[in-house]
């Protein structure tokens, strides 16, 4: 059984989040140069993406209850509230849109960002694995075991093996990073790479939520799961367009027939 020596350590979490952002930006720069994109407006878009992603990850989870009076003040939530990767991705997407609106940049940037986001997630989620509530009980003799003191800080269940849900996500992001890297020049349209990545992550995240231990609100589903269900029709439509537009191989005529 694996312990959690850095439970609740905000410094460790912040270090890995920062390393993830820096690594993601580095990969963004590499891809920008590889593709020969010298437009300086991309720096503005990248900056807006990081900034809005950071703000979104913090404030995107503020609205917890339908009755606004039940929610904490924004000031208190900013300092003590939790962060959300899904809200951060939405914020980053809004940052891209606003950056393009400000700069007048029209070309798709999804293919530039997809591998960078996956790499940032791999590293950032290590910080989550080391410091946050890992998940629900495994029902077996394996998993991450928390002490009573750690449960008091980060929640969860003490003394039993818990699903290392963040390790599952790290493995998923590594697989996606490899796939994105191999196919970054093979999809028919610019931006398709990012659509495939987001759709795959949405499906994975919906499933892994059952092991995350987040609070359930309706019908045994958590808030992230309800958000993903709301986005499912849009993601399904966009993903269907990616594969529908795949070029078909021309029929081959065998010699001698």
């Amino acid at each position: 059984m694996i312990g959690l020596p850095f439970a609740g350590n905000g410094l460790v979490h912040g270090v890995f989040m920062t390393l993830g952002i820096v690594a993601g930006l580095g990969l963004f720069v590499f891809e920008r140069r590889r593709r020969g994109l010298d437009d300086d407006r991309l720096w503005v878009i990248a900056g807006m993406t990081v900034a809005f992603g950071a703000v979104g990850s913090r404030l995107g989870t503020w609205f917890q209850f339908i009755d606004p009076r039940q929610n904490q003040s924004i000031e208190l939530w900013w300092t003590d509230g939790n962060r959300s990767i899904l809200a951060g991705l939405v914020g980053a997407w809004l940052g891209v849109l606003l950056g393009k609106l400000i700069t007048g940049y029209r070309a798709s940037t999804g293919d530039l960002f997809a591998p960078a986001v996956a790499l940032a997630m791999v590293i950032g989620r290590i910080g989550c694995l080391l410091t946050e509530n890992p998940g629900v009980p495994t029902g077996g003799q394996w998993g991450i075991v928390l002490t009573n003191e750690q449960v008091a800080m980060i929640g969860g269940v003490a003394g039993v093996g818990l699903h290392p849900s963040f390790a599952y996500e790290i493995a998923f992001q590594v697989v996606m990073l490899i796939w994105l890297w191999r196919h970054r020049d093979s999809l028919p349209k610019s931006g398709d790479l990012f659509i495939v990545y987001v759709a795959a992550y949405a499906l994975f995240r919906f499933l892994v939520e059952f092991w995350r231990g987040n609070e359930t609100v309706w019908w045994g589903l958590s808030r992230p799961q309800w958000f993903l269900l709301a986005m499912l029709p849009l993601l399904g439509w966009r993903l269907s367009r990616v594969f529908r537009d795949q070029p078909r191989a021309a029929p081959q005529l065998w010699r001698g027939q």
Side-chain angles (χ1 to χ4, degrees):
M1 294 184 180
I2 305 172
L4 203 66
F6 298 105
N9 192 317
L11 177 61
V12 171
H13 188 278
V15 166
F16 278 97
M17 291 293 290
T18 302
L19 290 175
I21 292 173
V22 171
L25 286 174
L27 190 55
F28 173 85
V29 171
F30 175 84
E31 276 293 277
R32 177 177 175 269
R33 291 177 177 175
R34 187 184 70 86
R35 294 172 182 269
L37 300 175
D38 297 326
D39 197 323
D40 289 337
R41 292 177 295 179
L42 288 170
W43 290 116
V44 177
I45 296 172
M48 297 287 287
T49 301
V50 173
F52 273 69
V55 173
S57 69
R58 176 62 83 180
L59 295 184
T61 58
W62 168 73
F63 195 77
Q64 298 279 311
F65 303 98
I66 297 177
D67 184 353
R69 294 171 298 181
Q70 294 182 268
N71 296 302
Q72 294 182 2
S73 67
I74 293 181
E75 294 81 3
L76 183 60
W77 191 261
W78 179 262
T79 57
D80 299 330
N82 62 339
R83 296 179 178 88
S84 168
I85 288 294
L86 291 177
L89 289 175
V90 173
W93 174 69
L94 293 175
V96 170
L97 294 181
L98 184 58
K100 287 185 175 182
L101 181 63
I102 292 174
T103 62
Y105 192 86
R106 302 302 180 196
S108 173
T109 55
D111 291 354
L112 280 174
F113 282 110
V117 172
L119 177 60
M121 293 279 278
V122 169
I123 299 173
R125 280 310 199 191
I126 296 175
C128 298
L129 176 64
L130 296 176
T131 63
E132 297 186 23
N133 177 15
V136 300
T138 63
Q141 298 299 315
W142 64 278
I144 297 176
V145 179
L146 302 179
T147 64
N148 291 322
E149 292 76 13
Q150 291 170 339
V151 168
M153 290 188 293
I154 63 176
V157 182
V160 298
L162 305 177
H163 278 281
S165 62
F166 293 112
Y168 303 159
E169 184 162 348
I170 292 169
F172 168 82
Q173 295 293 348
V174 169
V175 171
M176 283 305 304
L177 178 59
I178 294 171
W179 188 91
L180 292 168
W181 196 252
R182 289 187 59 186
H183 295 276
R184 66 193 191 279
D185 295 320
S186 61
L187 296 187
K189 291 188 302 183
S190 179
D192 284 353
L193 198 70
F194 191 74
I195 296 299
V196 173
Y197 171 66
V198 170
Y201 180 58
L203 177 60
F204 168 82
R205 180 60 189 273
F206 182 88
L207 296 175
V208 83
E209 274 292 307
F210 290 111
W211 294 284
R212 280 284 296 272
N214 285 330
E215 178 189 10
T216 58
V217 287
W218 301 297
W219 297 349
L221 300 180
S222 65
R223 290 183 178 88
Q225 286 175 314
W226 281 109
F227 171 78
L228 292 168
L229 282 177
M231 295 294 103
L232 185 62
L234 175 60
L235 289 174
W237 172 71
R238 291 293 287 115
L239 191 62
S240 68
R241 291 188 61 186
V242 171
F243 290 101
R244 185 181 62 197
D245 295 340
Q246 286 279 1
R248 297 183 179 180
Q252 296 181 354
L253 299 178
W254 292 94
R255 295 181 183 272
Q257 291 185 348

